């Protein structure tokens, strides 16, 4: 009967308490109350997994997905803690101060986590939760990547007016708005911080690949004017990330090989440097800023390294599709965060859920 009631309640958006999903609290406490972690054979985990799957598939709206990412990831954290060996109990202190300190800690910090011996049904449940977290994480990240890909297409090349002036960076504002919208949604749904960080790290990695590879593939984009336009837009992203402003490199008419490889572009490969040197031009005075000697030297190095200066080995690899490392959830969730959670009074009034108040 408890399981049936749980299935009905847990599919609803129960809101949040102490920055954590109430649904996570209700499901976990119900599992403890029914001693679901103890038997070698049980169907309760299968029913919860099916319930979550049905609830998740009801909508592809990002707010809906973010809510269930919050629920599944925090529940996964509690299950991970439950199935991990409990920490060794500290030896009782013999000093007065030590006994007072231990007494204070035992009364002020109450954990809802109970450590149990690992059984197969619970272990399988943990893996199924992890799969949901990875699926929801990937959906939200890929949705943002799709939007970013379309938005970046309008930001890669500077729009020029009929009199040769560059439009302001208005196109980048739509990117900022999209990032703000997702960040607000994830924070409102109390998605663990480490997951939010990973989503944006991977999306910015994707942005870096898209922009840099576009410069290397399209000669018309590889100009000083376009570089200035890109930098202005990236500066907006940098402000959004609350990071320090990058150092502005001053323009020079000609640059040496050492300056090019060690000061301006220290992390680029020889192939990338050569590609940029052959594409780059300054449309202001229709001159190249890279000397023929530098191009020749770079071409020789590319030939020595790969044997083909015209190969596409200069392109960056997109690694933004990697799965979320599940174990990192522990870094931004603490079991003490669940200690003072309180379900709604309406839920506690139901006789079948009064154990939640214990």
């Amino acid at each position: 009967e408890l399981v049936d009631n749980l299935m009905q309640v847990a599919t609803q958006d129960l809101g949040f308490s102490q920055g954590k999903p109430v649904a996570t609290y209700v499901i976990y406490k119900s599992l403890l109350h029914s001693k679901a972690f103890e038997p070698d054979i049980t169907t309760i985990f299968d029913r919860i997994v099916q319930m979550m799957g049905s609830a998740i598939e009801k909508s592809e709206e990002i707010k809906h997905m973010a809510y269930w990412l919050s629920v599944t990831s925090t529940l996964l954290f509690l299950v991970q803690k439950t199935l991990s060996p409990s920490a060794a109990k500290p030896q009782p202190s013999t000093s007065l101060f030590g006994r007072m300190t231990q007494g204070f800690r035992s009364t002020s910090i109450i954990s809802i986590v109970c450590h149990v011996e690992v059984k197969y049904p619970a272990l399988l449940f943990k893996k199924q939760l992890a799969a949901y977290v990875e699926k929801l994480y990937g959906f939200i990240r890929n949705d943002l990547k799709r939007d970013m890909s379309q938005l970046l297409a309008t930001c890669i090349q500077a729009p020029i007016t009929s009199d040769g002036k560059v439009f302001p960076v208005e196109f980048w504002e739509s990117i900022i708005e999209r990032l703000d919208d997702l960040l607000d949604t994830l924070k409102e749904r109390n998605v663990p911080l480490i997951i939010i960080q990973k989503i944006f790290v991977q999306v910015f990695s994707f942005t870096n690949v898209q922009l840099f590879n576009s410069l290397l593939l399209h000669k018309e984009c590889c100009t000083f004017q376009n570089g200035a336009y890109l930098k202005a837009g990236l500066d907006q992203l940098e402000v959004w990330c609350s990071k320090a402003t990058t150092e502005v490199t001053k323009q020079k008419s000609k640059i040496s090989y050492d300056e090019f490889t060690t000061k301006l572009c220290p992390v680029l490969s020889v192939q990338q440097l050569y590609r940029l040197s052959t594409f780059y031009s300054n449309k202001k005075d229709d001159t190249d800023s890279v000397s023929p000697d530098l191009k020749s030297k770079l071409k020789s190095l590319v030939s020595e390294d790969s044997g083909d200066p015209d190969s596409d080995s200069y392109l960056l690899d997109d690694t933004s599709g990697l799965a979320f490392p599940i174990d990192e959830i522990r870094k931004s969730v603490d079991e003490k965060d669940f200690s003072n959670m309180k379900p709604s009074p309406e839920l506690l009034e139901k006789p079948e859920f009064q154990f939640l108040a214990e």
Side-chain angles (χ1 to χ4, degrees):
E1 184 180 357
L2 173 61
V3 178
D4 293 332
N5 294 326
L6 176 62
M7 296 301 107
Q8 294 177 0
V9 169
T11 54
Q12 306 170 19
D13 186 341
L14 301 178
F16 302 88
S17 174
Q18 303 295 317
K20 296 292 180 288
V22 173
T24 295
Y25 181 83
V26 172
I27 293 172
Y28 183 72
K29 290 282 283 187
S30 297
L31 291 174
L32 293 180
H33 184 72
S34 62
K35 302 185 185 303
F37 291 102
E38 299 178 10
D40 292 310
I41 299 176
T42 179
T43 61
I44 186 171
F45 295 123
D46 291 335
R47 295 186 63 182
I48 291 176
V49 168
Q50 292 172 3
M51 174 271 294
M52 285 184 168
S54 299
I56 291 170
E57 292 175 0
K58 285 183 178 179
S59 172
E60 290 189 351
E61 185 184 11
I62 292 301
K63 291 182 178 180
H64 174 78
M65 293 293 189
Y67 170 77
W68 281 104
L69 178 57
S70 180
V71 172
T72 54
S73 60
T74 49
L75 181 59
L76 174 61
F77 167 79
L78 290 175
V79 172
Q80 285 176 327
K81 297 291 289 186
T82 300
L83 302 183
S84 64
S86 59
K89 295 182 179 180
Q91 294 297 321
S93 175
T94 56
S95 67
L96 175 61
F97 178 76
R99 293 197 301 272
M100 290 175 60
T101 302
Q102 290 176 353
F104 174 76
R105 289 175 178 171
S106 63
T107 56
S108 62
I109 300 176
I110 302 175
S111 173
I112 68 169
V113 174
C114 293
H115 298 279
V116 300
E117 182 182 351
V118 179
K119 299 294 179 66
Y120 177 75
L123 190 61
L124 180 60
F125 180 55
K126 185 180 78 167
K127 293 180 179 179
Q128 291 168 323
L129 280 177
Y132 275 140
V133 172
E134 291 178 349
K135 177 181 178 180
L136 292 163
Y137 171 88
F139 182 93
I140 294 172
R141 178 203 59 204
N142 293 340
D143 183 76
L144 179 58
K145 284 173 61 177
R146 279 192 297 270
D147 288 350
M148 289 289 286
S149 181
Q150 297 175 359
L151 294 170
L152 287 172
T154 63
C155 298
I156 287 172
Q157 189 171 5
I160 309 297
T161 62
S162 57
D163 57 357
K165 294 182 179 179
V166 178
F167 276 115
V169 289
E170 295 177 355
F171 290 101
W172 287 87
E173 293 177 1
S174 55
I175 291 179
I176 300 297
E177 290 174 1
R178 180 66 177 89
L179 295 174
D180 273 334
D181 182 60
L182 178 60
L183 181 60
D184 290 343
T185 296
L186 296 177
K187 290 169 64 178
E188 287 170 2
R189 299 304 185 274
N190 290 283
V191 174
L193 179 60
I194 188 65
I195 295 180
I196 297 177
Q197 291 173 339
K198 287 293 182 181
I199 287 175
F200 284 101
V201 165
Q202 290 193 339
V203 169
F204 282 133
S205 173
F206 170 77
T207 300
N208 179 58
V209 171
Q210 292 289 103
L211 292 177
F212 189 72
N213 284 351
S214 294
L215 294 178
L216 296 178
L217 290 171
H218 305 288
K219 187 172 183 177
E220 65 274 13
C221 296
C222 201
T223 65
F224 179 84
Q225 193 176 40
N226 195 61
Y229 173 74
L230 281 178
K231 186 186 181 306
L234 291 173
D235 281 347
Q236 289 195 18
L237 289 183
E238 195 166 22
V239 171
W240 185 85
C241 295
S242 300
K243 294 179 180 178
T245 304
T246 53
E247 181 180 354
V248 179
T249 303
K250 295 182 179 180
Q251 179 191 6
K252 294 185 179 182
S253 58
K254 296 290 182 181
I255 55 177
S256 68
Y257 174 78
D258 289 339
E259 290 172 326
F260 194 70
T261 57
T262 62
K263 293 183 179 180
L264 297 184
C265 312
V267 297
L268 301 184
S269 68
V270 174
Q271 289 85 357
Q272 292 166 341
L273 293 173
Y274 175 67
R275 184 74 173 183
L276 288 173
S277 71
T278 58
F279 271 18
Y280 180 73
S281 66
N282 183 1
K283 287 191 175 180
K284 284 187 176 181
D285 52 17
D286 223 11
T287 61
D288 294 338
S289 291
V290 182
S291 68
D293 290 341
L294 172 54
K295 292 180 184 178
S296 177
K297 187 170 184 178
L298 287 170
K299 185 174 182 179
S300 298
L301 290 174
V302 171
S303 298
E304 292 175 6
D305 187 44
S306 65
D308 181 9
D310 297 321
S311 69
D312 61 357
S313 58
Y314 49 79
L315 296 177
L316 293 178
D317 294 326
D318 182 11
T319 60
S320 62
L322 298 176
F324 175 75
I326 294 298
D327 289 339
E328 293 198 16
I329 293 178
R330 296 170 182 258
K331 294 182 179 180
S332 63
V333 183
D334 193 319
E335 60 188 86
K336 292 181 291 186
D337 297 340
F338 297 86
S339 302
N340 297 319
M341 288 186 66
K342 294 180 180 179
S344 64
E346 293 80 10
L347 188 60
L348 292 176
E349 287 175 0
K350 297 182 178 182
E352 61 269 27
F353 287 109
Q354 289 185 353
F355 67 88
L356 294 175
E358 298 175 359

